[in-house]
Amino acid sequence: MNGSGQREDETLIEMSETTGDDISVLTDIRSPDSAGDNSNGPLIESNSTVEFELPGNSEIDKQLQSKDSVFFWDGVRRIDFVLSYTDEPCNQADKKAERRKEFELHLQKAGLELETEDKKESENGKTFFVKIHAPWEVLTTYAEVLNIKMPIKDDDLCSPSENIVLDCMLKLFKLPNSVMNPEPDYFTAPFRKDKQELFRIDDQETFFSPATRNRIVYYILSRCHYETEEGKKKFGIKRLLNNGTYLSAYPLHDCQYWKKTDEKNCERFTLYKQWARFGRFYKEQPLDLIRKYYGEKIGIYFAWLGFYTEMLFLAAVVGFFCFLYGWVTMDESMSSKEICDPHIGGQIIMCPLCDRSCEFWRLNSTCEPSQYSHLFDNVATLFFAIFMGIWVTLFLEFWKRRQARLEYEWDLVDFEEEQQQLQLRPEYEAKCTQKKKNPVTQEMEPYLPVTSKAARFCFSGTTVLFWISLIIASMIAVIVYRLAVYAAFASIMENNLTLQPVSNLLTPQLATSVTASFLNFIIIMILNNLYERVAVWITDMEIPRTHLEYENRLTMKMFLFQFVNYYSSCFYVAFFKGKFMGYPADYTYMFGRWRNEECDPAGCLIELTTQLTIVMAGKQIWGNIQEAFVPWTMNWWGRRKTKNHPENLYSRWEQDGDLQTFGPLGLFYEYLEMVVQFGFITLFVASFPLAPLLALLNNILEIRVDSWKLTTQFRRPVASKAHSIGVWQEILNGIAVLSVVTNAFIVAFTSDMIPRLVYYYAYSQNESSPMSGYIDHSLSVFNVIDFTNHSMPVYNDMNVTSCRYRDYRYPPDHNKRYQHTMRFWHILAAKMAFIIIMEHVVFLVKFFVAWMIPDVPSEVKARIKREKYLTQRILHEYELRKLKEKLHENNTAMACDKEFIATKGKVQLSAAM
């Protein structure tokens, strides 16, 4: 081995000690034969630019190749990754240049090939672009390190039989087979560099897909080290991006999305044409092509989102029919009839809605709101609540089966978590200076002391609690707003002639609820934007050990915050409003000043529906506008300077560099948005049967918005593996269980169903019309003279001596005046019994359904067993063949030796004679 090779090996050994990679692996990357001929390998030079000697060409003519190409200027080596930087005239420029030189030198010594575009070639004349290519040796070595499965044999199992009639019916929703199945099915096995002949290597340039190539290159980039001016070793492209040494690092899209180039496979164009356009909303998703182009992690997200949307269709249909039932039977509601009847509701005088400034009012003034409340507060509400408890179980169980099928089809069966995620984060290695021996690997690795870890967790937990307290404080502020403006709305609407035409529809309760809901939505969005930054900051401060730990911790922090932020107002309306108001002689006051709200005589369910609709719909509309408009605007603003330049002068790496960055947490926010929506349609669905329909319409749009922005507005993300939706699965399971409890409580305590049923079966005396008299039965009597001075109305133009209020209390002339009657306790007992029965029935059905549906289809189990068997047999036959060849060589050598010895003996014998 020559001197330069020895120095390279020393550098590789030094790098392996820093990154924890295997020395032999890194040494193999440099050359297939460390002592052999290197004429076909890269000629490494100190300027971090690699030059190749091409047959018949001493110099590459750059003008012969389109700048829209995804290859080096030689037209042979594919660009797997791009780094960009500017040569700034500042004090830090020399330091950054030194870091870049050191970093790129180590990239070359790791086997990568670089080609630098001078800033004169860039559109702005300021930006350098470093193009990176991973040769075959690097790819094969790291494919083994990352345990990447590659094809070994055609899949010999028969596909499930197709239903011709069903296929014809669904033909409108199908995509061409070439799009849905871009590659044939193969049996696969983890790649082994020393057993390459086992794998179907038809072409080394296409054997590894571009997604696999950029994943391997990013793996090297994230672990390649450099030395600072102080002599300290630091590593990882992320650190260099953070300190401004490089502006960006990204893989290239394979072509323009709006036109097809001369490339053999232009997958981005196909994805845009068949998937990312809004006009294709009714088509199935090309999941295999998405996985091939973007990687398994993004593919799993779109598979889950598509499956969730398909399952929503059933819930939306059932919810729509439940709403339709309420609409059809609205005129048959006896409660609404009695409230609207001038001889019943018109004769009932209700107590003032606020202290002193509010007047007495007639019950029939709430006629129209009571009619609309029947749309959601009817017997179909109970059916739909039970149905959704079963639906959510079916959704989760069938998704497990769908996920298991994808795990097999995408070679993720034996995949625990990606090695890149399981290995230490570069930030963890950089910040943890102390080391200890790993009991498994017996190697020294950095660790965070227990005291430091405990202190960081305490600070993190305190910060999270502070922000949750801030949400609760903001919710209390909105409640105070409701209490404060309620009296104002009541006073204005009673005395303002302009509002008289809409007074029957726009009651003080409804006006307060609508304005408070909008105010609450604005506060939610502001706090959400602030907390996102705080959550990332405190998670970074905790210094999680692996990428998986980082994502899980951030997920739990964000979801806990979002749960309180989005759902707290709905919980207040559902379970607290009107429950602790007292009675006219002894009202309950918040902070001793604002009287607690009371529900409409028809119940609080319509207000919960209003709150849920505004927050849910507002979030979805704002989210889609933000997702589509913001990246488009930023890209337009960034490209406006190039609009007068012809496209052939605007290189591919510059075009992609001007796009937005998807980022490692891009999918995190997509999942978070959908899981919050899932909470809305399950936790409070008893109050709004149309919630699944709104979610369905939003998700149909969401799929196309996400696909459009990912294909057209964002740089190509670095491909990464994932065998499931991760911790989100557990969160969905938790929401599913909680939804049974919340819907049972909504039906029992928020709706008026249980009191009506108790009246129907226990107190009704009219056989022909059992619900007649229910309104009078649900209202108690109060003597006006019993008002306190603080609550006594200033105006009493109707000379009212007694008024009614919503409660079950004894009248003023009873010896237990204003105490709860037995009817109150009967209804409370019925509510508690209903909750217990409904929860047990739904949970029993849920667990039975979960037990009946296996997580993995039998067909998939058979395929997994077949693939494992075939892989073991092929490996066994390969080892046996190698052993036979070796024995044959040994026998041949021994025979030659014997023949040589015999010949030599004969010669010696002849010479002796």
Side-chain angles (χ1 to χ4, degrees), residues 753-811:
M753 181 177 300
I754 302 301
R756 287 200 297 263
L757 291 175
V758 171
Y759 178 80
Y760 181 91
Y761 289 106
Y763 295 99
S764 176
Q765 299 177 353
N766 190 336
E767 295 183 359
S768 61
S769 181
M771 291 305 297
S772 296
Y774 169 73
I775 292 298
D776 183 69
H777 174 268
S778 65
L779 299 175
S780 299
V781 180
F782 181 76
N783 196 333
V784 174
I785 62 175
D786 292 331
F787 272 119
T788 61
N789 292 333
H790 185 268
S791 302
M792 179 68 72
V794 176
Y795 305 101
N796 189 1
D797 298 338
M798 294 187 290
N799 296 319
V800 177
T801 58
S802 64
C803 60
R804 310 294 293 273
Y805 61 99
R806 183 182 171 85
D807 207 342
Y808 295 93
R809 294 179 181 270
Y810 288 109

Side-chain angles (χ1 to χ4, degrees), residues 356-403:
R356 298 190 64 79
S357 59
C358 292
E359 298 181 0
F360 297 96
W361 53 286
R362 298 185 183 276
L363 182 59
N364 65 347
S365 63
T366 62
C367 174
E368 292 188 21
S370 68
Q371 290 178 329
Y372 289 125
S373 69
H374 180 74
L375 289 173
F376 310 105
D377 193 359
N378 54 69
V379 69
T381 301
L382 174 59
F383 165 77
F384 193 59
I386 296 174
F387 168 80
M388 286 302 292
I390 300 172
W391 173 88
V392 72
T393 304
L394 292 173
F395 163 63
L396 294 174
E397 292 301 318
F398 282 126
W399 164 246
K400 290 178 184 177
R401 292 172 62 84
R402 177 70 172 126
Q403 188 171 261

Side-chain angles (χ1 to χ4, degrees), residues 32 171 207 269 276 278 280 285 299 350 587 661 684 794 811 903:
K171 187 176 181 180
F207 180 66
F269 172 78
F278 294 97
R280 314 291 284 183
Q285 296 188 88
M350 301 296 293
Y587 282 124
T661 304
F684 308 102
V794 176
T903 304

Side-chain angles (χ1 to χ4, degrees), residues 23 61 63 100 114 141 159 188 204 224 232 279 348 392 466 533 625 657 671 712 743 752 818 841 879:
I23 296 175
D61 187 358
Q63 301 301 323
R100 285 193 293 267
L114 312 182
T141 300
S159 301
T188 60
Q204 291 186 357
C224 187
K232 296 181 180 179
I348 296 177
V392 72
F466 168 77
R533 296 175 175 83
I625 292 175
Y671 275 118
T712 66
N743 283 300
D752 216 28
Y818 303 138
V841 169
E879 296 292 346

Side-chain angles (χ1 to χ4, degrees), residues 627-672:
E627 286 186 22
F629 184 72
V630 171
W632 180 86
T633 303
M634 295 182 71
N635 286 335
W636 170 82
W637 182 261
R639 288 196 302 260
R640 73 193 189 285
K641 61 181 179 297
T642 63
K643 60 184 179 181
N644 295 324
H645 294 260
E647 185 180 313
N648 60 354
L649 297 180
Y650 192 36
S651 64
R652 162 49 51 82
W653 39 91
E654 291 180 274
Q655 295 172 38
D656 284 12
D658 284 342
L659 298 177
Q660 298 303 300
T661 304
F662 190 67
L665 296 178
L667 280 184
F668 168 81
Y669 294 109
E670 302 297 340
Y671 275 118
L672 183 63

Side-chain angles (χ1 to χ4, degrees), residues 10 61 242 371 387 431 499 587 651 745 854 867 871 885:
E10 291 173 355
D61 187 358
N242 290 338
Q371 290 178 329
F387 168 80
K431 294 180 181 179
L499 297 176
Y587 282 124
S651 64
F745 272 86
E867 182 166 339
T871 303
E885 291 176 357

Side-chain angles (χ1 to χ4, degrees), residues 3-238:
S4 61
Q6 184 176 0
R7 286 193 298 273
E8 288 178 18
D9 285 344
E10 291 173 355
T11 306
L12 290 170
I13 293 172
E14 186 179 31
M15 179 180 175
S16 69
E17 293 174 349
T18 305
T19 62
D21 289 327
D22 184 65
I23 296 175
S24 62
V25 171
L26 288 170
T27 305
D28 286 343
I29 294 177
R30 183 180 57 82
S31 173
D33 185 1
S34 59
D37 183 18
N38 197 30
S39 60
N40 295 327
L43 302 176
I44 301 175
E45 298 184 3
S46 60
N47 62 0
S48 73
T49 301
V50 177
E51 297 178 359
F52 269 71
E53 297 179 5
L54 298 178
N57 290 315
S58 59
E59 185 177 350
I60 299 172
D61 187 358
K62 296 184 178 182
Q63 301 301 323
L64 295 178
Q65 183 175 339
S66 169
K67 296 190 74 174
D68 196 43
S69 173
V70 293
F71 291 90
F72 277 18
W73 287 117
D74 57 21
V76 176
R77 292 169 291 164
R78 187 181 189 90
I79 301 173
D80 297 313
F81 228 88
V82 175
L83 307 178
S84 69
Y85 64 91
T86 56
D87 201 2
E88 309 146 348
C90 63
N91 297 332
Q92 297 293 325
D94 293 339
K95 295 181 180 180
K96 292 179 179 179
E98 188 63 30
R99 290 179 200 148
R100 285 193 293 267
K101 181 178 179 181
E102 181 82 11
F103 185 71
E104 291 170 13
L105 179 62
H106 284 90
L107 289 180
Q108 290 177 336
K109 291 179 178 179
L112 297 180
E113 298 168 3
L114 312 182
E115 184 178 80
T116 301
E117 285 287 322
D118 191 82
K119 62 182 179 181
K120 297 178 182 179
E121 300 288 337
S122 66
E123 191 278 331
N124 59 12
K126 300 178 182 179
T127 307
F128 293 86
F129 292 92
V130 180
K131 297 172 286 184
I132 302 175
H133 169 75
W136 177 253
E137 285 299 320
V138 173
L139 295 174
T140 54
T141 300
Y142 274 94
E144 182 174 349
V145 169
L146 296 176
N147 206 35
I148 297 175
K149 289 187 175 183
M150 302 305 293
I152 57 174
K153 185 181 184 298
D154 292 338
D155 190 339
D156 60 359
L157 291 180
C158 299
S159 301
S161 58
E162 298 180 355
N163 190 321
I164 300 177
V165 177
L166 184 62
D167 288 344
C168 291
M169 293 174 60
L170 300 178
K171 187 176 181 180
L172 177 66
F173 307 101
K174 297 286 186 179
L175 288 174
N177 187 63
S178 59
V179 177
M180 290 300 299
N181 301 293
E183 294 178 322
D185 291 332
Y186 295 109
F187 287 129
T188 60
F191 187 81
R192 293 287 300 274
K193 185 179 179 182
D194 58 345
K195 296 181 175 62
Q196 295 186 27
E197 57 269 28
L198 287 176
F199 298 89
R200 297 179 61 93
I201 306 177
D202 299 326
D203 184 358
Q204 291 186 357
E205 295 301 320
T206 59
F207 180 66
F208 294 104
S209 67
T212 303
R213 296 174 69 100
N214 73 58
R215 184 162 71 95
I216 291 174
V217 173
Y218 185 76
Y219 182 88
I220 300 173
L221 288 173
S222 63
R223 281 157 178 77
C224 187
H225 79 274
Y226 63 95
E227 292 186 5
T228 63
E229 56 278 359
E230 295 86 7
K232 296 181 180 179
K233 287 185 179 180
K234 296 183 178 180
F235 51 89
I237 186 62
K238 186 176 180 180

